[in-house]
Every structure is written in C-alpha cells, then in structure tokens.
Amino acid sequence: MLRPVEEKKQKNWFKLDNAAKIYPAANTKRWSGMFRLSVTLKEKVDSFILQEALATTIKRFPSFNIRMRRGLFWYYFETNARKRPTVRPDINNPCAPISWQDNNGFLLRVFYYDKRIAIDYFHSLTDGTGAMVFLKTLVAQYLKLKGYEIPAKEGILDVDEQPDIEEFEDSFAKYADSKQRGRAKEPKAYHMKSTKLNDNDISIITGITSLEKIKQLAKKNNSTITEFLSALLLYSFYKQKEKEGLYTKPTRIAVSIPVNLRNYFKSNTKRNFSLFLNPGIDTILGEYTFEEMLRQIQYFMKANLNKKTLNAMMTQNVIIEKYIFIRVAPLFLKNFLMSIAHSTIGYRPISTLLSNVGSVTLPCEMQEHVNRFEFILGAAKIRTPYLAVVSYNDTLVLNFTSKIKETDIERFFFTYLIKQGIPVKIESNRE
Amino acid sequence: MPYCVKCGVELDKSAKKCVLCNTEVMIEQQDEIPPYPKEKSEVSQLNTGYFAMLLSVILIIPNVACLVINLIYSPGIYWMYYVFGGSLVLWMIFIFPMTLKKKRPLIHVFLIFLSATLYLLLIALALSGMRWFLTIALPVCITVMLLLFIIIFIVNRKKPGKLKTTSISLITVIVLCLVVEGTVDYFVNATIQFSWSYIVAASIVPVIIALVLLSGNKKLQNELIKKLHI
C-alpha cells in the first residue's frame, strides 16, 4: 500500500541510520567510505541530458536529496532543496574521498565517460540495493529524455510519483528488537603484507566473465555464486598466507560478506539495511583444500542466515547507540572514538570483503540500450583488496579494489577461473 | 584481441601490459579508448605552509608581549633573550619542517644547531658567561651536530640494517661522552683526564662488537630469533 507523503508534512531532516553513523566519523581527507555503481550504455553519454535526468531523479529520492550537517550530539541529513548536484567527467581514481562541501553538499557524485554513467555514493546514504534503484531510475530517466519509452518496473521508480514514506524509513530502528544481542566471538584475522600506493591512487582490477559459466561451476560444487566466489577469494588469501607462513599468528582468514536484510525483513527502504557476516577458516587447524573452505562458508551462512540470528546481530549494533552516556557525548568526542574504533576493531575480524549486489534486471525496453553494470567498492583502510560483484544478463563483473601495489590475490583468483576453463577479460585503471 | 601469455586472461585493447603479472602485450597497439581516464581527483592536502604561518604568528604573540613587559618594567635588564631564544629553537624544531615540501634532515639539523647555539650564546651574553659557552657549550653543540650529520649521511647513503645503525649510533654515544668529559674537565681543571667515559666506552664496545658480528651472520640471527622470540 502506498502512503504518499504530503508536501507540507515532508520531513526536512533525517537522523542517520545505524549503519550510516560510522562513515562520517571515520571520514578523513585521505579515506571515505565510498562505493560506485556504474552502467555502460551502447552509445556515448550526453552530459547535458544526464544533468537534466539527475535533477529530476534526485527529487524523487528524499533520502538522497540531502546534505550532511553537524548537530551538537549527532550528524544529521538536511534536505538540500535549493541546490542541484552536477555531473562531471569521470576520474582515474573512483571513490575518491568526499568532503561535506563538495558537489553542492550532495553525498553522491555522478560521472560520465564515453559510454559510461557512474555514481560514487557515500555509504551513509544507502547500501548497494538502494544505490542500484537510484542508478536504474537515473538511467531510465536519461533514456526517457533521449526519447525512448521506458516503463517504471523491475525496480525502476516513477519520477513523477510522490515518494512513499517507507522508502526512507530507518529499518534498523524498526526491526531491531531481539532479546538476545550480539554474535559469536570473532578472533583477530590475518591481514596480508603489502606495499601502499600513493594517497591519490586506487587500484581497480576488473574481471569480466560469463555468469552462466560461473553458475555452472558453482552448481558443480553444490553452492551459490556468492558462496563459490567467497570461497575462491578466501582460497586466494589462503595461498597468500601460505607464502607468509600458515601457522604464524593471526591464523584466522575471514571474508566479510554483506547481507541484504531486505530478504529477511519486509522493508522497502532505500537507505542502509544490510549487515556483515564474517565466515572464515583457521589455519591453526591444518591445511585446507578449496572444497573444505567452501563447505566452511556454506555451513556458516546456513547457520546464520535466519531472521532470529540476524536480528540479534542487528540489535547489538543498534543498542550501542541507545546507551545514554553515548548519546550525550558531544559529537567531536564521538567522532574521535568512533574513528579509532573503525580503524582498529572494525578491521580486526576480517581479512577481506566480498559484496555481491546480485543480478540486475531491467525492463526489455531498456535492455537494448545497456551493455553492462559495474560495482566498485572503495578501498579498505587496511591494505587488502576487496571484491565487488554484479551481473547483468550473462555478464558477470568482478571488481577488485585496493590501495596496494601487489596483485597476487587478483592474479591467483583470475588464473584459477582460467584453469577451470572460464574465460576472463581484464580491465584496469592502472598504468 | 590481446591475451596475456602468462595468465591466459583476455586484456583490454588499450592495455600495454597485463596488470596481473606485468607481462607486456606483443600485439601492436590500436587507438582504443582506455577503460578509465587519466585525470585524478586530487586529495586536498592540509596546507602545511599556511598552518606553519599560523603557528608562527601564535608564537610571535608571547614574544612581543614579553618584549613590551621587559622594556616597561625592567629596562636595562634584558631577560627577553630567554623567551626569544627558546621560541626560535621551538620554531626550528617543530614548525620549520612544515614549510618544507621534502624531508631535508641535514639542513634541519644544521638549523637546529644554529638556533640552539644562538640561544646558548644569548644566555651566555646575558649572564656574562662567555667562558663556559666557548669551552663547554660550543664544542658539545658542534660535536652533536657533526655526529648527527655522520649518522644521517651513513643511513641515507649506505642503508645499513637496524643492527648496524644501532652500532653506529652507539659509537657516536661513546664519542659524545668523551667530548663532554673532556670539555668539562678542561673547564674545571684546565687539564683533560678521561675517567667515567672510559666506563661508558668499556660497557658499550662489547655490545657494538656483538651487533657487528651478528649483522653479518644471518644464520645466527635466525637462531636467536628462534630461541628468543617473545
């Protein structure tokens, strides 16, 4: 049921949701929690039309049409009504750090390059799912302005419609109500040794392959695509650790996998609503084969992917911000403590991260204009590559992002697929 | 379409080499649009020059205030020297490096030496203690500067390991002890008779010898790490 918001009643400010709160605190001049979704069309992008499409689209998304403001105790989002976000030519280092004044205060940046439209989002705004709806709506609007007939279905929102109140609700606050809090204790995980790139640089290595072939390979191993790719990523890190010493501490290797909570709790929010699960192995127990790692990940996911366990994890996160002594602490103190917590305990239980936004569906009228989708995660604060996965029709795009010189993980990962008989095409922003 | 002969992956038409293994592409280049543009969004660095200026201004304020107080309340007795000299040394140690774009340790050390010597000279002038300045302060300052120069020079040029750097630093400690004792002796007794610096040297020399021997012996190092690691 749609509950459109009346113009007058429309709130002009929001609290940040639970997952969003860490990112402004951890934001520095050198690092921001960013991620990018991009689409490659079949013809060259017209920046003028794109600008028009963006101006219309952003009005439809109240939780994107905002700027970051400082309160005395918390940051908050304020509707950015008077200004417009601008489109600009793409850059070599996607997910570059953001400051609150950039781009008229908007926390997203829209780029165009040849046939590509790319959006860098600040993670406080939304997660992969919400961001994909925005990108799809923007592209649909762009194509409409170019004169094509595009229906508003398959996750594309109608820009003339009034936004539904559920679209910008804080679903964490709504659903986190478990009596039990927290998750099983996670020991310190292995971080690979590597050389850092310059502050301005980011290493992006993209592997383009066939969804159908990966699906078959995953099926042969009785697993889903996410499980299979996480196991392969874990295996690449395992091989790296083998070089550095399998039994040197810390021995745990874990891959963090964001879970879309909309699949477990009924929510239509376009803001953050996801949670991390950190499956892994411990090499102190001995040597592992690829199949053993895959089983470990599968068992972990099966045990934890249910409403009750996820609710307990979510409640743990939400409860922290409810403590009265945390609430009354002034913002600068919170920022200081949260940024320290983010760069220490935040990265403690994970070696790497794999995020899969899944398969993108588009209405038939739009498919003929779209070549492929791409998903890029911002680099980690620690020196490790992250993997982002998205697929569209038969094109599966695997994107490794990091701030390091070495490419051992990426090379092992892709050559493993080649050895299994799956062709991979590599693209990169590296010289 | 180019492929990497080592990894077996297909490469972009604009690629000059395989990013996974750095193997160069053999096929002739075509003028294709690369997957990313060359322009980068620059990280806005904190303007350290501006910051240094701000700090300098803040440092000037107490100096001016002290000068005024000095001139009004105690004309003729210039204790202002201490404040000024101290600020100068502080400025050289902490604020001067901010104005440099690249690290220049040799110039930095030399300037700290100059300002510290000037500070001591001012104190000596104010207390009419030119004798201790010339016999103790100046030689010790010069020695410290020269020793630091030697260490920086060797570390930058030869890139010795941790063990060798430690032994070089220990040698300079011995030299410094000798100079300090020599100058103090000369100042007090007008003769030079080394005593306690020998003890320092005697206890440090075996450590230096051990470190030098150890630095040439990888096997022994591994053995020690194995047995003594914490």
Side-chain angles (χ1 to χ4, degrees), chain A residues 182-184 186 226-227 230 252 254-261 264 274-280 297-306 309-314 317 349-355:
Chain A
R183 50 171 87 195
E186 287 167 336
T226 309
E227 284 165 355
S230 332
R252 187 179 153 82
V255 47
S256 186
I257 305 174
V259 175
N260 182 7
L261 292 173
Y264 301 89
S274 50
L275 201 63
F276 294 96
L277 285 186
N278 308 327
I297 290 182
Q298 283 185 307
Y299 297 146
F300 186 91
M301 298 307 264
K302 285 210 173 85
N304 287 289
L305 282 183
N306 60 70
T309 318
L310 291 173
N311 196 347
M313 292 177 187
M314 189 160 79
N317 295 344
I350 63 163
S351 310
T352 181
L353 185 143
L354 179 143
S355 182

Side-chain angles (χ1 to χ4, degrees), chain B residues 1 11-12 28 37 76 82-83 105 120 131 164-165 205 211 222:
Chain B
M1 265 181 272
L11 298 171
D12 193 64
E28 235 176 75
Y82 302 122
V83 184
L120 290 167
R131 198 176 152 247
K164 277 191 181 148
T165 313
V205 167
L211 286 176
N222 280 334

Side-chain angles (χ1 to χ4, degrees), chain A residues 84-357:
Chain A
R84 319 165 85 187
T86 48
V87 301
R88 53 184 121 164
D90 202 2
I91 48 173
N92 185 270
N93 49 344
C95 305
I98 197 167
S99 82
W100 311 147
Q101 295 82 33
D102 283 356
N103 197 12
N104 286 336
F106 289 91
L107 300 177
L108 51 84
R109 294 183 290 226
V110 179
F111 297 102
Y112 61 92
Y113 177 69
D114 195 30
K115 295 171 187 164
R116 178 170 65 210
I117 299 172
I119 312 181
D120 283 6
Y121 298 90
F122 187 58
H123 214 320
S124 286
L125 274 188
T126 180
D127 55 13
T129 314
M132 187 55 89
V133 174
F134 184 81
L135 176 65
K136 273 155 72 169
T137 310
L138 174 68
V139 175
Q141 185 61 22
Y142 170 81
L143 291 172
K144 263 192 224 167
L145 289 179
K146 283 202 96 174
Y148 303 107
E149 198 67 40
I150 309 287
K153 57 181 188 185
E154 302 282 357
I156 292 166
L157 299 184
D158 185 355
V159 287
D160 300 323
E161 206 177 67
Q162 277 297 312
D164 177 23
I165 203 161
E166 280 177 6
E167 284 173 19
F168 49 93
E169 71 171 16
D170 180 355
S171 296
F172 284 110
K174 189 170 168 188
Y175 288 108
D177 58 358
S178 179
K179 298 269 185 299
Q180 176 64 25
R181 286 155 204 166
R183 50 171 87 195
K185 199 166 174 277
E186 287 167 336
K188 190 176 174 196
Y190 156 76
H191 291 169
M192 64 182 282
K193 288 199 175 76
S194 53
T195 343
K196 202 173 165 246
L197 289 175
N198 289 336
D199 279 337
N200 278 336
D201 293 335
I202 184 168
S203 152
I204 291 167
I205 298 180
T206 312
I208 303 149
T209 178
S210 152
L211 174 71
E212 205 43 52
K213 285 189 172 143
I214 296 275
K215 213 183 225 167
Q216 277 169 15
L217 193 60
K219 216 169 194 177
K220 218 168 77 186
N221 287 290
N222 290 323
S223 69
T224 65
I225 292 178
T226 309
E227 284 165 355
F228 176 78
L229 292 174
S230 332
L232 182 50
L233 184 62
L234 197 62
Y235 194 48
S236 313
F237 272 82
Y238 173 80
K239 285 287 166 191
Q240 179 71 20
K241 182 148 175 61
E242 223 170 36
K243 283 184 229 162
E244 291 173 23
L246 217 46
Y247 300 105
T248 48
K249 283 191 173 176
T251 51
R252 187 179 153 82
I253 314 175
V255 47
S256 186
I257 305 174
V259 175
N260 182 7
L261 292 173
R262 293 171 189 84
N263 296 338
Y264 301 89
F265 301 89
K266 192 183 163 293
S267 168
N268 186 26
T269 186
K270 303 288 172 269
R271 295 168 70 186
N272 280 298
F273 197 40
S274 50
L275 201 63
F276 294 96
L277 285 186
N278 308 327
I281 53 154
D282 204 327
T283 57
I284 198 88
L285 299 173
E287 291 173 14
Y288 279 80
T289 62
F290 174 74
E291 284 72 27
E292 283 171 337
M293 282 183 203
L294 182 56
R295 295 293 158 258
Q296 286 292 322
I297 290 182
Q298 283 185 307
Y299 297 146
F300 186 91
M301 298 307 264
K302 285 210 173 85
N304 287 289
L305 282 183
N306 60 70
K307 224 171 160 175
K308 293 186 181 67
T309 318
L310 291 173
N311 196 347
M313 292 177 187
M314 189 160 79
T315 311
Q316 168 70 33
N317 295 344
V318 172
I319 209 82
I320 295 172
E321 65 174 63
K322 293 267 169 71
Y323 288 137
I324 187 74
F325 61 87
I326 288 188
R327 285 164 65 179
V328 298
L331 184 64
F332 75 90
L333 196 65
K334 278 194 194 105
N335 278 347
F336 178 68
L337 296 175
M338 278 164 82
S339 66
I340 292 175
H342 175 256
S343 40
T344 53
I345 36 183
Y347 289 107
R348 202 173 172 274
I350 63 163
S351 310
T352 181
L353 185 143
L354 179 143
S355 182
N356 185 357
V357 292

Side-chain angles (χ1 to χ4, degrees), chain B residues 9-221:
Chain B
V9 295
E10 186 189 334
L11 298 171
D12 193 64
K13 281 176 191 157
S14 66
K16 291 191 184 84
K17 59 182 184 183
C18 169
V19 281
L20 300 178
C21 66
N22 282 333
T23 308
E24 282 187 30
V25 175
M26 294 301 175
I27 313 177
E28 235 176 75
Q29 291 284 314
Q30 287 152 344
D31 279 335
E32 280 287 325
I33 299 172
Y36 290 89
K38 283 218 160 61
E39 291 75 31
K40 285 175 191 167
S41 141
E42 297 289 320
V43 173
S44 55
Q45 295 282 3
L46 185 70
N47 193 343
T48 47
Y50 173 77
F51 197 58
M53 198 129 99
L54 196 74
L55 284 179
S56 309
V57 172
I58 292 172
L59 203 59
I60 287 173
I61 294 169
N63 275 285
V64 174
C66 285
L67 183 66
V68 173
I69 295 168
N70 191 179
L71 288 176
I72 294 173
Y73 291 98
S74 47
I77 311 163
Y78 292 110
W79 51 266
M80 179 49 212
Y81 287 147
Y82 302 122
V83 184
F84 174 70
S87 316
L88 188 66
V89 176
L90 270 182
W91 191 87
M92 279 299 172
I93 295 174
F94 296 109
I95 304 177
F96 173 68
M98 290 181 192
T99 61
L100 295 177
K101 287 220 171 76
K102 228 169 78 181
K103 275 184 190 166
R104 293 179 184 280
L106 287 177
I107 294 174
H108 192 200
V109 165
F110 182 67
L111 287 174
I112 291 175
F113 157 77
L114 272 189
S115 56
T117 319
L118 184 69
Y119 186 28
L120 290 167
L121 180 66
L122 287 174
I123 295 173
L125 282 173
L127 302 173
S128 57
M130 277 312 276
R131 198 176 152 247
W132 64 254
F133 175 75
L134 286 176
T135 48
I136 298 181
L138 195 59
V140 170
C141 279
I142 292 174
T143 322
V144 170
M145 181 192 70
L146 288 178
L147 292 176
L148 281 174
F149 269 19
I150 292 168
I151 294 177
I152 292 167
F153 189 75
I154 295 177
V155 170
N156 275 351
R157 277 290 164 86
K158 302 274 177 194
K159 306 239 182 284
K162 278 179 198 162
L163 293 173
K164 277 191 181 148
T165 313
T166 317
S167 33
I168 294 165
S169 316
L170 285 174
I171 294 171
T172 58
V173 168
I174 297 177
V175 177
L176 185 62
C177 285
L178 286 169
V179 172
V180 169
E181 184 168 29
T183 50
V184 172
D185 261 16
Y186 186 75
F187 179 73
V188 178
N189 305 327
T191 53
I192 296 175
Q193 188 106 48
F194 295 114
S195 59
W196 58 262
S197 49
Y198 282 144
I199 302 171
V200 176
S203 46
I204 291 180
V205 167
V207 178
I208 296 172
I209 294 170
L211 286 176
V212 170
L213 286 179
L214 191 59
S215 68
N217 192 338
K218 271 271 171 215
K219 252 187 178 173
L220 186 62
Q221 278 178 36

Side-chain angles (χ1 to χ4, degrees), chain A residues 40-81:
Chain A
T40 310
L41 302 176
K42 291 194 175 154
E43 44 193 296
K44 212 165 183 258
V45 174
D46 183 333
S47 63
F48 185 73
I49 297 178
L50 182 63
Q51 178 69 66
E52 285 306 306
L54 177 61
T56 342
T57 311
I58 196 127
K59 293 272 180 290
R60 173 65 183 75
F61 289 79
S63 63
F64 288 62
N65 189 19
I66 46 101
R67 57 186 177 145
M68 185 77 85
R69 306 287 284 164
R70 283 164 154 274
L72 190 57
F73 299 109
W74 294 105
Y75 281 103
Y76 62 90
F77 292 146
E78 190 181 61
T79 303
N80 201 350

